[in-house]
């Protein structure tokens, strides 16, 4: 079994800084599944990890912080982080704003969010 990467409130700031450095984030860090090790959940987790990696790369390339993106989209910085980490669902209204804030974001990744 793989362990789920879930930031806690006490270490959120440190983990956020580490994620932004992108050296900390890798496919093996974020294989988020607590399911039995079957092919379906492994493939799904792998796809999620790859999507999160691509989305965080776009964020890093933009130079914007979670606060910057949250202000542009009109959500909290916590919700923005959860969206980009694949831990929350993106609403249709926020999708358009996120695409404006991160124009390099792939449409397929946006739809999967």
């Amino acid at each position: 079994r793989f362990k789920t990467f879930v930031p806690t409130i006490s270490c959120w700031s440190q983990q956020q800084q580490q994620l932004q450095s992108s050296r900390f984030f890798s496919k093996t860090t974020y294989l988020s599944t607590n399911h039995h090790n079957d092919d379906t959940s492994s493939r799904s987790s792998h796809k999620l990890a790859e999507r999160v990696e691509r989305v965080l790369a776009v964020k890093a390339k933009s130079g914007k912080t979670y606060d910057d993106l949250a202000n542009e989209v009109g959500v909290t910085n916590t919700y923005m982080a959860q969206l980009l980490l694949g831990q929350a669902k993106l609403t249709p209204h926020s999708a358009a704003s996120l695409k404006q804030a991160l124009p390099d974001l792939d449409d397929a990744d946006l739809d999967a969010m």
Side-chain angles (χ1 to χ4, degrees):
R1 289 187 183 191
F2 295 100
K3 297 292 182 185
T4 301
F5 175 77
V6 179
T8 61
I9 293 172
S10 63
C11 64
W12 177 253
S13 176
Q14 179 185 7
Q15 289 175 343
Q16 186 177 19
Q17 289 171 355
Q18 289 172 329
L19 283 171
Q20 287 176 348
S21 74
S22 75
R23 275 182 251 132
F24 172 78
F25 188 82
S26 69
K27 292 176 192 172
T28 56
T29 302
Y30 194 86
L31 285 176
S32 63
T33 181
N34 280 329
H35 306 293
H36 297 298
N37 194 11
D38 63 22
D39 288 341
T40 306
S41 65
S42 292
R43 272 185 262 132
S44 173
S45 296
H46 189 68
K47 285 182 181 182
L48 174 62
E50 288 178 341
R51 185 184 83 218
V52 170
E53 193 170 359
R54 286 190 302 270
V55 169
L56 290 180
V58 170
K59 177 192 168 293
K61 181 181 172 187
S62 76
K64 296 179 181 180
T65 65
Y66 287 110
D67 286 331
D68 296 336
L69 293 171
N71 289 333
E72 289 184 48
V73 175
V75 298
T76 66
N77 62 352
T78 302
Y79 180 64
M80 179 54 62
Q82 289 172 335
L83 284 173
L84 300 185
L85 294 172
Q87 298 173 348
K89 284 298 206 183
L90 184 63
T91 64
H93 173 70
S94 296
S97 300
L98 183 58
K99 183 63 176 179
Q100 278 187 320
L102 293 173
D104 291 340
L105 193 61
D106 186 73
D107 289 337
D109 287 337
L110 192 65
D111 290 343
M113 295 172 76

